[in-house]
Amino acid sequence: MANKQYKDQQKRFAPKLKIKKGDRVIVIAGAQKSRTEIREVIEVFPKENRAIVEGINIRKKHQKPTETSQGGIVEKPSPIHISNLMLVDGNDQPTRVGRQRNEDGKLVRISKKTGNTL
């Protein structure tokens, strides 16, 4: 019984992610790796460690017609694991992300490669 309670406590907190909505990323691993263009993050799911990236991991869904929409095959983006993505800084270079306090005392994300804020 105590073990189950401990597992529930572990799942309460979502991890701190280095990628946010609106960031520019490239895919560095997985089936979508061959598409090395810079893409934008549409949505992030912190509890699942996944993100939806524009034009990446597109799936086809067969949808029934309803009163408001027409049926058919709809293409829909699926989430991709965050470990397969790498953030791109202002110089269009892939970089790792660090955190540092600025003059105001706020934590800001910085590029490990150039040291610039993201």
Side-chain angles (χ1 to χ4, degrees):
M1 186 71 175
N3 194 15
K4 183 180 186 297
Q5 184 181 12
Y6 177 71
K7 285 183 179 179
D8 290 341
Q9 276 182 335
Q10 272 184 326
K11 293 182 181 179
R12 276 185 21 205
F13 302 106
K16 186 75 171 173
L17 301 180
K18 298 182 188 318
I19 293 177
K20 295 181 179 181
K21 178 181 174 180
D23 282 346
R24 297 172 40 212
V25 296
I26 61 167
V27 179
I28 59 169
Q32 306 289 322
K33 182 181 177 182
S34 63
R35 298 182 179 179
T36 57
E37 304 110 23
I38 297 171
R39 305 291 182 140
E40 187 173 334
V41 175
I42 299 171
E43 191 174 351
V44 177
F45 305 105
K47 288 186 178 178
E48 301 164 10
N49 280 346
R50 293 183 172 271
I52 294 180
V53 181
E54 104 181 84
I56 298 292
N57 207 18
I58 302 295
R59 304 287 181 197
K60 292 187 178 185
K61 180 178 169 78
H62 296 262
Q63 203 164 24
K64 283 187 175 180
T66 61
E67 292 178 5
T68 58
S69 67
Q70 193 175 10
I73 300 173
V74 178
E75 290 188 348
K76 188 177 177 185
S78 294
I80 186 170
H81 200 270
I82 288 201
S83 66
N84 296 336
L85 302 175
M86 188 171 234
L87 195 66
V88 175
D89 64 1
N91 303 333
D92 292 345
Q93 294 294 320
T95 181
R96 292 180 6 216
V97 180
R99 288 192 173 81
Q100 199 173 45
R101 293 207 181 271
N102 63 0
E103 302 83 37
D104 303 334
K106 289 182 69 176
L107 272 176
V108 293
R109 295 182 306 160
I110 61 163
S111 165
K112 290 274 192 164
K113 192 174 272 189
T114 61
N116 298 335
T117 59
L118 299 173

